[in-house]
């Protein structure tokens, strides 16, 4: 046998672990560790920087019992803490059919508890299969439960107070068979004082969106952030509940004094009601508005207009029930709460027949007009209330001095046109103070020649005419296109602007500028917010007065204070005087424009329709309060009397001054003691209002020099307009945002007559 061949042993191949390979692995390891470190760092950064945001996203996507915890919108209060707007918690009853159908034993106890704790008239109105509104009943709830076993959210009642749901909750705790009912908490906005400050405060729409007023301009401050309560299964499959608390909104403390606001609104409503259906059928005026400010801070103490809007009118049973006289129950049931609210508000100032004659566009426009804040959204010619600014400009620039005199012969001839003064025969020689006391247009036109276009335009800007005041309220009207530039201030335009014609202002513009005249020349930013507080009443932010600029020197201011005091003591503003108090002031009357078919002002003057006004400050030296009243077309035969505005101012101040602890600084004389809100003596009605002006021996009106002549001739601004036909007075269009460049030639008639 052949020898077995010896097998060779296999040799293992060894692969050496080269250094370069070790180096690569080390680098790879470092890179992996570095990436992990970056990832961990990034996660930490995200958690710190955006943890709340991502937590909210997670909460929003929870699968189990996730419910929103609504935040509470902050309050709006007056300067003393009186709540003007607040949010009250209410509850909706939610039906979960999946739970109530889980066991047959749940249905009857749950329905019995519902019927025991709630009346059927508390259940909500729903729509049937035909789209008709119908009252939900307990029987319909039973039907819904059986027909919709998979429904988890069905609202059966809304806006119930806690007291109304408390009894059910107690029964639910005592009886474990009461299932499938839970209460969803919400907040509703309430205005405890109804229409008080409605235009200033505004209101809220759905989703807590502020509309108008403080509700709008401070919407972000008032709103908070919703929280969330949610359930989830943990790693051990146990059900747990987590809560992310809501962050409530902050409170806005306004500069408004609710007591002053009440006095103002009460008086302007009294004026309106007194003259309703007086000269003609309709309200006492198209608009009446009053603004009160602290001249040393720019704080608005009261801001009101009438007619206005009441967001709580649905609670007025008398008003709502009166609608049923004109509308059937079915018609009313088909209307939303907003539609009924609008209809009810319109019915306060219009007959139902008038409302029914409006189309939807007209109704919408009428409602929006009620909601607007006249003090900041409407523009109009200021009339003679602009004269103090012209005199201040002359004194401050040195183009006019206090020792100058001016001869009034009753008119001025400019560019071939005759512009008359109030007194056709002329006032004669007048001092600078007397030009304001007599409200002399002739003298003011002569002053304008001395001032010149450059100075006049410069000081109009200093007084903020043509510019927004930037008050912290939405909707302030633009007036930049409603004044003349230096280039367009021809001799006649300058002359008419000097006595307050052919340029437009808003109430807040003129009042803020007037404050600077009587406070030493300091122009403060007007504002309506005083402080921001958290929900515990701690001050988060104090809103200090903001001095924007100097308008005139202290010396000029002191001179104007003396002149304006003379206007009240012995001039056209005497009707506004409150017995025992020194006072500055100036009257104003401006003729309105004819409206076109769309309700916008044309360049044609409206014969006999006026905006009358008065602005004043008390006391004369170092005034503590400025008040400005504007009445748009009072319902009287002869509207051209600023005494109507003066009467309103006097009646307000008679109550406001003692309340503000402003003490009398003069002896009592009994002046104006027998006058009422429309200027008649006690017991007289609105029909007698036109005969209340006082006259001198020559028959010239002394309560306002520009009211007219003794022969009854209208001497206001009836014939002066713009030559290019553009709108220069937006008092009637309700927006103040319309633009219209004024023309260079400000006359339409070669024989113009002009006054306040």
């Amino acid at each position: 046998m052949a020898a077995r061949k010896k097998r060779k042993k296999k040799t293992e191949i060894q692969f050496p672990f080269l250094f370069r390979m070790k180096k690569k692995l080390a680098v790879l390891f470092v890179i992996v560790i570095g990436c992990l470190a970056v990832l961990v760092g990034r996660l930490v950064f995200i958690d710190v920087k955006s943890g709340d945001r991502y937590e909210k996203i997670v909460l929003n996507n929870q699968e189990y019992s996730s419910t929103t915890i609504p935040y509470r919108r902050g309050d709006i209060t007056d300067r003393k803490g009186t709540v003007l707007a607040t949010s009250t918690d209410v509850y909706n009853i939610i039906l979960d059919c999946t739970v109530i159908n889980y066991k047959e034993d749940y249905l009857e106890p749950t329905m019995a508890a519902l019927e025991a704790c709630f009346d059927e008239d508390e259940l909500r109105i729903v729509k049937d299969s035909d789209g008709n509104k119908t009252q939900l009943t307990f029987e319909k709830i039973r039907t819904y439960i059986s027909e919709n076993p998979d429904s988890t959210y069905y609202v059966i009642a809304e806006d119930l107070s806690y007291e109304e749901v408390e009894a059910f909750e107690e029964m639910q705790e005592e009886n474990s068979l009461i299932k499938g009912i839970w209460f969803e908490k919400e907040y509703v906005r309430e205005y405890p004082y109804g229409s008080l400050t409605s235009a200033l405060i505004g209101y809220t729409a759905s989703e807590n969106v502020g509309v108008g007023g403080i509700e709008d301009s401070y919407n972000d401050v008032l709103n908070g952030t919703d929280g969330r309560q949610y359930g989830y299964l943990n790693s051990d499959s146990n059900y747990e509940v987590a809560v992310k608390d809501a962050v409530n909104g902050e409170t806005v403390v306004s500069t408004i004094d609710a007591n002053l606001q009440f006095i103002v609104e009460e008086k302007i409503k009294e004026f309106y009601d007194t003259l309703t259906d007086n000269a003609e059928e309709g309200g006492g005026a198209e608009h009446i508005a009053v603004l009160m400010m602290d001249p040393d801070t720019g704080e608005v103490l009261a801001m009101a207009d009438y007619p206005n809007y009441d967001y709580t009118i649905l609670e007025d049973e008398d008003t709502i029930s009166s609608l049923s006289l004109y509308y059937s129950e079915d018609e009313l049931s088909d209307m939303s709460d907003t539609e009924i609210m609008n209809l009810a508000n319109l019915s306060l100032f219009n007959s139902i027949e008038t409302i029914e004659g409006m189309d939807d566009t007209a109704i919408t426009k009428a409602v929006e007009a009620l909601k607007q804040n006249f003090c900041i959204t409407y523009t109009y010619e200021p009339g003679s209330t602009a004269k103090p600014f012209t005199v201040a400009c002359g004194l401050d620039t040195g183009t006019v001095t206090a020792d100058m005199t001016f001869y009034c012969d009753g008119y001025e001839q400019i560019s071939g046109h005759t512009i008359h003064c109030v007194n056709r025969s002329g006032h004669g020689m007048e001092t600078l103070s007397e030009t304001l006391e007599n409200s002399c247009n002739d003298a003011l036109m002569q002053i304008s020649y001395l001032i010149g276009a450059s100075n006049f335009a410069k000081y109009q800007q200093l007084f903020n005419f043509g510019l927004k005041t930037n008050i912290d309220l939405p909707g302030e009207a633009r007036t930049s296109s409603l004044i003349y530039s230096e280039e367009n201030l021809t001799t006649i335009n300058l002359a008419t602007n000097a006595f307050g014609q052919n340029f437009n202002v808003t109430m807040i513009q003129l009042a803020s500028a007037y404050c600077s005249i009587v406070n030493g020349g300091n122009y403060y930013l007007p504002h309506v917010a005083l402080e921001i507080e958290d929900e515990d009443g701690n001050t988060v932010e104090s809103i200090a007065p903001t001095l924007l600029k100097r308008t005139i020197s202290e010396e000029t201011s002191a001179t104007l204070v003396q002149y304006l005091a003379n206007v009240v003591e012995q001039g056209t503003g005497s009707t506004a005087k409150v017995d025992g108090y020194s006072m500055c002031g100036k009257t104003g009357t401006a003729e309105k424009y004819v409206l076109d078919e769309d309700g916008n002002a044309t360049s044609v003057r409206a014969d006999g329709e006026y905006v009358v006004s008065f602005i004043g400050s008390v006391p004369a030296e170092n005034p503590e309060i400025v008040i400005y009243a504007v009445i748009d077309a009072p319902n009287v035969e002869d509207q051209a009397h600023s005494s109507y505005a003066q009467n309103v101012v006097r009646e307000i101040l008679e109550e406001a001054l003692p309340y503000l602890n402003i003490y009398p600084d003069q002896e009592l004389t009994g002046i104006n003691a027998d006058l009422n809100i429309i200027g008649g003596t006690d017991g007289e009605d609105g029909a007698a209002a036109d005969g209340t002006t006082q006259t001198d021996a020559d028959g010239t009106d002394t309560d306002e020099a520009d009211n007219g002549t003794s022969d009854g001739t209208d001497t206001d601004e009836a014939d002066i307009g713009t030559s290019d036909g553009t709108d220069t007075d937006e008092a009637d269009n309700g927006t103040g945002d319309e633009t219209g460049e004024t023309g260079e030639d400000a006359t339409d008639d070669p024989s113009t007559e002009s006054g306040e």
Side-chain angles (χ1 to χ4, degrees), residues 479-662:
T479 59
S480 57
S481 64
L482 303 177
I483 65 169
Y484 286 91
S485 64
E486 180 182 342
E487 293 74 21
N488 288 331
L489 277 174
T490 59
T491 302
I492 194 166
N493 291 337
L494 179 60
T496 55
N497 275 213
F499 57 77
Q501 185 175 320
N502 278 353
F503 74 95
N504 281 28
V505 299
T506 62
M507 285 188 70
I508 192 63
Q509 270 184 334
L510 194 131
S512 299
Y514 179 90
C515 286
S516 74
I517 278 186
V518 297
N519 72 6
N522 299 313
Y523 188 99
Y524 287 95
L525 175 70
H527 60 284
V528 296
L530 190 64
E531 289 181 345
I532 307 297
E533 295 180 348
D534 63 22
E535 58 180 316
D536 297 320
N538 302 310
T539 300
V540 175
E541 179 185 358
S542 292
I543 302 173
T546 302
L547 178 60
L548 296 180
K549 55 188 170 182
R550 298 273 305 178
T551 56
I552 55 176
S553 68
E554 290 187 11
E555 181 182 0
T556 300
S557 173
T559 302
L560 261 294
V561 164
Q562 183 58 56
Y563 291 174
L564 293 172
N566 292 341
V567 170
V568 175
E569 291 295 332
Q570 58 207 34
T572 63
S574 60
T575 306
K577 183 174 176 57
V578 178
D579 197 13
Y581 290 88
S582 64
M583 183 179 187
C584 291
K586 188 66 190 78
T587 54
T589 307
E591 191 167 29
K592 296 172 63 175
Y593 288 90
V594 173
L595 303 183
D596 61 22
E597 294 179 354
D598 297 324
N600 297 319
T602 66
S603 61
V604 180
R605 295 286 178 173
D607 186 24
E609 293 189 21
Y610 293 84
V611 175
V612 297
S613 59
F614 178 83
I615 189 165
S617 47
V618 181
E621 299 287 341
N622 301 315
E624 296 184 46
I625 191 167
V626 165
I627 181 170
Y628 185 26
V630 173
I631 303 174
D632 179 9
N635 190 354
V636 293
E637 291 291 346
D638 183 9
Q639 296 181 5
H641 298 277
S642 75
S643 55
Y644 293 114
Q646 293 184 60
N647 287 316
V648 170
V649 166
R650 184 192 64 252
E651 294 293 299
I652 290 171
L653 290 179
E654 283 179 350
E655 294 188 23
L657 294 175
Y659 166 73
L660 292 169
N661 292 320
I662 299 176

Side-chain angles (χ1 to χ4, degrees), residues 182-303:
W182 56 281
F183 298 102
E184 179 183 59
K185 184 177 181 179
E186 290 184 342
Y187 290 98
V188 295
R189 203 64 168 163
E190 291 188 351
Y191 302 94
Y193 295 95
S195 63
L196 189 75
T197 69
S198 60
L200 176 66
I201 291 177
Y203 63 101
T204 57
S206 59
E207 304 298 328
N208 275 328
V209 176
V211 181
I214 295 174
E215 294 276 29
D216 189 339
S217 54
Y218 287 90
N219 188 64
D220 292 341
V221 173
L222 293 164
N223 276 347
T225 304
D226 284 337
R228 187 170 295 277
Q229 176 178 306
Y230 62 97
Y232 62 95
L233 296 179
N234 62 18
S235 58
D236 297 325
S237 296
N238 293 323
Y239 184 79
E240 293 189 4
V241 175
V243 176
K244 176 71 174 178
D245 290 330
V247 178
N248 293 329
E250 295 173 328
T251 292
V252 175
V253 180
S254 73
T255 60
I256 299 300
D257 186 310
N259 289 318
L260 285 180
Q261 186 77 19
F262 178 80
I263 292 170
V264 168
E265 294 199 15
E266 182 182 48
K267 294 301 181 182
I268 62 178
K269 184 179 185 302
E270 180 184 350
F271 179 93
Y272 185 93
D273 291 345
T274 302
L275 291 184
T276 293
D277 297 330
N278 181 42
E280 59 184 34
E281 185 177 346
E286 286 191 23
H287 299 94
I288 174 171
V290 172
L291 179 61
M292 299 179 78
M293 296 179 67
D294 183 336
D296 292 322
T297 63
E299 294 172 5
V300 176
L301 303 177
M303 179 184 279

Side-chain angles (χ1 to χ4, degrees), residues 300-336:
V300 176
L301 303 177
M303 179 184 279
D305 57 7
Y306 199 82
N308 59 359
Y309 195 87
D310 186 352
Y311 300 105
T312 66
I313 202 166
L314 290 177
E315 301 169 13
D316 187 340
E317 295 182 2
D318 291 337
T319 301
I320 300 302
S321 63
S322 68
L323 296 179
S324 63
L325 299 176
Y326 303 93
Y327 297 92
S328 68
E329 188 173 330
D330 289 340
E331 287 176 320
L332 290 173
S333 66
D334 286 339
M335 296 181 190
S336 65

